[in-house]
Amino acid sequence: MYYYALTHAIYVIGTLLLVFIPSLKTFWFSVFEEVVSSEMLSESFGYTFRIGWQGFSGYRLTLHCTLSCIFLLYLFYVGKRNFQINKKILLICYILCFLGNMFYGRSGLVLTIITSVVASFVWGKMGIAKLVKFSFFVYIFIVCISCLQDVPIFSEWYDWMSQPILNFLTTGNFANASLERTHEMVFMPEWNTILFGDGYFVYDGSYYKNTDSGIIRNILFWGIVGWILSYVTTLYSIVSVKRKDKFLCLLILFVFAAFEYKGDVYYEFIVLFLSASFVDSIVGRLYADRNANLEVK
């Protein structure tokens, strides 16, 4: 969890370097060539900071930053009992990953706010004193960010990033144009498609049936059988986290459901959590064998 989150914190630092050091960006983009659509996106309204070492950085990067924030909170509140990790480093990494969500995707930003507040109450056992302190820091952070709205390099990004937050403060929900488009892309396919799939992921250069929703794209591609297999495998991989902390498992399941509704990300969870579970079991055995040898000696 720690190294995964640290990796994405470093990626966010890379974004800041590319944005504020134009010569570095020019050099880096002379090393590789982006596809035309990606280059156009990076120049779109509000996408100033949606750039990184991989080029255009969007939905999948905000997914990884969201998971990183959850992992860091877990390590901060729960893992400190078992791991000697400096709390200041955890907080710095959390701030960077939170910034990553402000840069790469509003879905991740909203989900990080929700999961962070809930996790702080559950893991941190936040009382009145901690709540006041937490609210004060949040207020200072919001004031600092709002001061950037009139700075040229930040203005478009600020308008884009702050839309769901402002909507929540004025209407009570995080609705934005992107989420509304996703709702429109969720539909009931024909029965033949549900049973057997159409075998298309993209068609004529865009997503098949022009839908971004993962739950629909999955069934359009290979039908109900493949749909069930992909999600059963995903749930199996995530539930392996349960032995660490049941609430952590619930947070990850919530994030998966939200991200998959908007985009196709199930395979990201399978690779991440099956790999983590495998490494955890191997490392656990190695430490157990080492401790056993030490006891014998």
Side-chain angles (χ1 to χ4, degrees), residues 65-99:
C65 285
T66 300
L67 290 174
S68 294
C69 286
I70 292 174
F71 292 163
L72 290 165
L73 286 173
Y74 173 78
L75 292 172
F76 184 84
Y77 286 120
V78 182
K80 63 184 178 183
R81 304 166 194 162
N82 305 313
F83 305 103
Q84 298 300 316
I85 303 175
N86 191 301
K87 293 178 71 172
K88 290 181 180 178
I89 294 177
L90 292 178
L91 287 172
I92 291 170
C93 287
Y94 177 85
I95 291 170
L96 286 169
C97 290
F98 190 87
L99 281 174

Side-chain angles (χ1 to χ4, degrees), residues 59-283:
Y59 197 61
R60 278 156 188 79
L61 257 300
T62 195
L63 162 65
H64 292 306
C65 285
T66 300
L67 290 174
S68 294
C69 286
I70 292 174
F71 292 163
L72 290 165
L73 286 173
Y74 173 78
L75 292 172
F76 184 84
Y77 286 120
V78 182
K80 63 184 178 183
R81 304 166 194 162
N82 305 313
F83 305 103
Q84 298 300 316
I85 303 175
N86 191 301
K87 293 178 71 172
K88 290 181 180 178
I89 294 177
L90 292 178
L91 287 172
I92 291 170
C93 287
Y94 177 85
I95 291 170
L96 286 169
C97 290
F98 190 87
L99 281 174
N101 276 321
M102 297 174 72
F103 296 160
Y104 310 133
R106 295 176 295 191
S107 300
L109 175 59
V110 170
L111 288 170
T112 298
I113 292 172
I114 294 172
T115 54
S116 295
V117 171
V118 174
S120 296
F121 274 99
V122 175
W123 286 327
K125 297 179 174 59
M126 190 178 289
I128 299 298
K130 287 184 177 180
L131 179 61
V132 171
K133 185 177 179 181
F134 176 79
S135 301
F136 174 75
F137 281 113
V138 169
Y139 174 76
I140 295 298
F141 180 75
I142 292 173
V143 170
C144 291
I145 294 297
S146 63
C147 291
L148 302 175
Q149 60 184 306
D150 295 324
V151 180
I153 194 173
F154 294 107
S155 56
E156 286 190 357
W157 162 77
Y158 177 86
D159 291 339
W160 170 82
M161 177 275 301
S162 62
Q163 184 183 356
I165 309 301
L166 295 176
N167 286 345
F168 177 77
L169 294 175
T170 56
T171 66
N173 64 71
F174 291 103
N176 57 74
S178 178
L179 184 59
E180 290 173 1
R181 283 197 300 272
T182 301
H183 291 328
E184 295 171 358
M185 292 177 183
V186 176
F187 61 90
M188 176 64 73
E190 297 179 359
W191 278 107
N192 190 61
T193 299
I194 293 175
L195 293 175
F196 305 108
D198 293 339
Y200 290 106
F201 191 73
V202 295
Y203 190 83
D204 285 343
S206 61
Y207 291 134
Y208 184 55
K209 299 287 187 181
N210 294 313
T211 179
D212 275 347
S213 177
I215 59 175
I216 301 299
R217 280 162 62 183
N218 226 343
I219 206 162
L220 290 176
F221 181 71
W222 50 15
I224 191 67
V225 174
W227 189 88
I228 291 173
L229 284 174
S230 63
Y231 289 142
V232 166
T233 306
T234 307
L235 294 176
Y236 173 79
S237 66
I238 294 175
V239 169
S240 64
V241 178
K242 184 176 63 175
R243 57 198 174 92
K244 292 289 183 187
D245 188 288
K246 290 182 179 179
F247 181 68
L248 174 64
C249 183
L250 288 175
L251 283 182
I252 294 169
L253 286 170
F254 168 69
V255 168
F256 164 69
F259 269 99
E260 185 67 13
Y261 179 80
K262 193 174 187 300
D264 200 24
V265 296
Y266 73 93
Y267 49 86
E268 300 271 3
F269 283 81
I270 293 173
V271 171
L272 173 61
F273 289 103
L274 282 185
S275 300
S277 179
F278 174 76
V279 170
D280 185 51
S281 61
I282 294 299
V283 171

